Amino acid sequence: MGRLDAVIQIPGEEPRTILFAEWEARYKSVFGEGQELEKLWSGSTQNKGANALLITYCPFDEYGAFVREVTEFWQTRDKLRKHRPVLFLVTILYEKENRMDVFQTISGIEIHKDGVKIWGDFDENETVF
């Protein structure tokens, strides 16, 4: 499927694609023509029932602005489209300390046509069912 990092399919005589995925270390580079968000949008809208997953890193203090920008990008694309894919955004948050990136947490959200579902931080002390 082109330059995507991963394509998840349900096997069968004619496999059905359910998820397109990208992993990008540089969070600012996901925007723009031909970049990760554009590739995810293109793949997931061309395959009915498919969604998208973006995994990236972001400084803790820039996370709010980053989420707003990603949400705006995803929700303003082709607003007349009846079936719109969901974008699952998983972000590894870090802080700079003495020229090193220090891991803080991992956060997840779902970006839908008209809303955002916040998963919150992936905490090792929380139980998910």
Side-chain angles (χ1 to χ4, degrees), residues 34 52 95 102 111 121:
E95 289 184 352
V102 178
I111 302 173
D121 295 345

Side-chain angles (χ1 to χ4, degrees), residues 19-71:
L19 187 72
F20 291 88
E22 283 288 335
W23 185 303
E24 176 56 48
R26 298 179 322 256
Y27 70 103
K28 288 184 179 181
S29 72
V30 302
F31 302 100
E33 187 73 29
Q35 299 301 324
E36 280 70 14
L37 284 172
E38 191 64 45
K39 290 189 284 187
L40 289 170
W41 177 261
S42 178
S44 59
T45 55
Q46 292 175 21
N47 290 270
K48 187 177 179 183
N51 290 306
L53 167 67
L54 174 62
I55 302 171
T56 191
Y57 301 84
C58 181
F60 193 83
D61 61 344
E62 295 181 34
Y63 180 61
F66 175 66
V67 167
R68 280 189 297 278
E69 195 171 353
V70 171
T71 301

